[in-house]
Amino acid sequence: MDLCSSSKGAVEMEPDAPVYVGKEDDIKKSQRITTKVNDREVVIFYHEGKFYAMDACCYHAGGPLRLGEIEDINGQPCIICPWHKYKITLETGEGLYQAINPMEPSPTPRWRSKGVKQRIHKVTIDNGNVYVSPPDLSVSLASDYYADKCKNNGDFTMEK
Ligand code: FES
């Protein structure tokens, strides 16, 4: 945790310091929470022993990813957006889709990546506390548009 003290003794957060989002045990129990990290709505998932964090509003049209189901697709845990069923990998934020190659002798649908579409955030656990690092916004991603639009729409409560 990067905290710094001013000369008057008050504790201030550095702008890019990891942000406390909750107790490890609480998030494990609820399996997902939404919260704000530097004024950005973020959803944190606990899935099969691992924490993941990403922008809470889907890159496609702003759907609420906190309400999606998690499925294993091609060996990768993915959140399925409840609005139009887009599949997003929890680990990398890639959009996945199925495609066939008509040139194959017997065309079979295969999963392919559209590239990173949803901004993911680094999660750190320290002494039973969970922190999310603010994003590096030097590269823009598709979900940034809805991250701005969705700023005031979350309910930020624990839910399963
Ligand atoms: Fe998420 Fe359309 S808004 S799939």
Side-chain angles (χ1 to χ4, degrees), residues 58 60-63 65 81 83-86:
C58 176
H60 174 225
L65 296 180
C81 179
W83 281 7
H84 313 103
K85 309 298 179 198
Y86 276 32

Coordinates of all heavy atoms in Angstrom, one line a residue, residues 58 60-63 65 81 83-86, ligand 1:
C58 N -20.3 -3.6 -19.7 CA -19.9 -4.4 -20.9 C -19.4 -3.5 -22.0 O -20.1 -2.4 -22.3 CB -21.0 -5.3 -21.3 SG -20.7 -6.2 -22.8
H60 N -19.7 -3.9 -25.1 CA -20.6 -3.9 -26.3 C -21.6 -2.7 -26.2 O -21.8 -1.9 -27.1 CB -21.3 -5.2 -26.4 CG -22.3 -5.3 -27.5 ND1 -23.6 -5.8 -27.3 CD2 -22.3 -4.8 -28.8 CE1 -24.2 -5.7 -28.4 NE2 -23.5 -5.1 -29.3
A61 N -22.4 -2.7 -25.1 CA -23.5 -1.7 -25.0 C -23.7 -1.3 -23.5 O -24.8 -0.7 -23.2 CB -24.7 -2.1 -25.6
G62 N -22.8 -1.6 -22.7 CA -22.9 -1.1 -21.3 C -23.6 -2.1 -20.4 O -24.1 -1.7 -19.3
G63 N -23.9 -3.3 -20.8 CA -24.6 -4.3 -19.9 C -23.9 -4.5 -18.6 O -22.7 -4.3 -18.5
L65 N -22.2 -6.4 -16.2 CA -21.5 -7.7 -16.1 C -21.6 -8.3 -14.7 O -21.4 -9.6 -14.6 CB -20.0 -7.5 -16.4 CG -19.7 -7.0 -17.9 CD1 -18.3 -6.9 -18.1 CD2 -20.3 -8.0 -18.9
C81 N -22.1 -11.7 -20.7 CA -22.9 -10.5 -20.4 C -24.4 -10.9 -20.5 O -24.8 -11.6 -21.4 CB -22.6 -9.4 -21.4 SG -23.6 -7.9 -21.2
W83 N -26.9 -9.1 -21.2 CA -27.8 -8.5 -22.2 C -27.7 -9.1 -23.6 O -28.8 -9.5 -24.1 CB -27.3 -7.0 -22.4 CG -27.8 -6.1 -21.3 CD1 -28.5 -6.5 -20.2 CD2 -27.7 -4.7 -21.2 NE1 -28.9 -5.5 -19.4 CE2 -28.4 -4.3 -20.0 CE3 -27.2 -3.7 -22.0 CZ2 -28.5 -3.0 -19.6 CZ3 -27.2 -2.4 -21.6 CH2 -27.9 -2.0 -20.4
H84 N -26.6 -9.4 -24.2 CA -26.5 -10.0 -25.5 C -25.6 -11.2 -25.6 O -25.1 -11.6 -26.6 CB -26.1 -8.9 -26.6 CG -26.8 -7.6 -26.5 ND1 -26.3 -6.5 -25.9 CD2 -28.1 -7.3 -26.8 CE1 -27.2 -5.5 -25.9 NE2 -28.3 -6.0 -26.4
K85 N -25.2 -11.6 -24.4 CA -24.4 -12.9 -24.3 C -23.0 -12.8 -24.8 O -22.4 -13.9 -25.2 CB -25.2 -14.1 -24.9 CG -26.6 -14.2 -24.4 CD -26.7 -14.5 -22.9 CE -28.1 -14.6 -22.4 NZ -28.3 -14.4 -21.0
Y86 N -22.4 -11.7 -24.9 CA -21.0 -11.6 -25.3 C -20.2 -12.3 -24.2 O -20.5 -12.2 -23.0 CB -20.6 -10.1 -25.4 CG -20.9 -9.5 -26.7 CD1 -22.0 -9.8 -27.5 CD2 -20.0 -8.5 -27.2 CE1 -22.2 -9.2 -28.7 CE2 -20.3 -7.9 -28.4 CZ -21.4 -8.2 -29.2 OH -21.6 -7.6 -30.4
Ligands
FES1 FE1 -23.0 -6.8 -23.1 FE2 -24.4 -6.4 -25.4 S1 -24.2 -5.1 -23.6 S2 -23.3 -8.2 -24.8

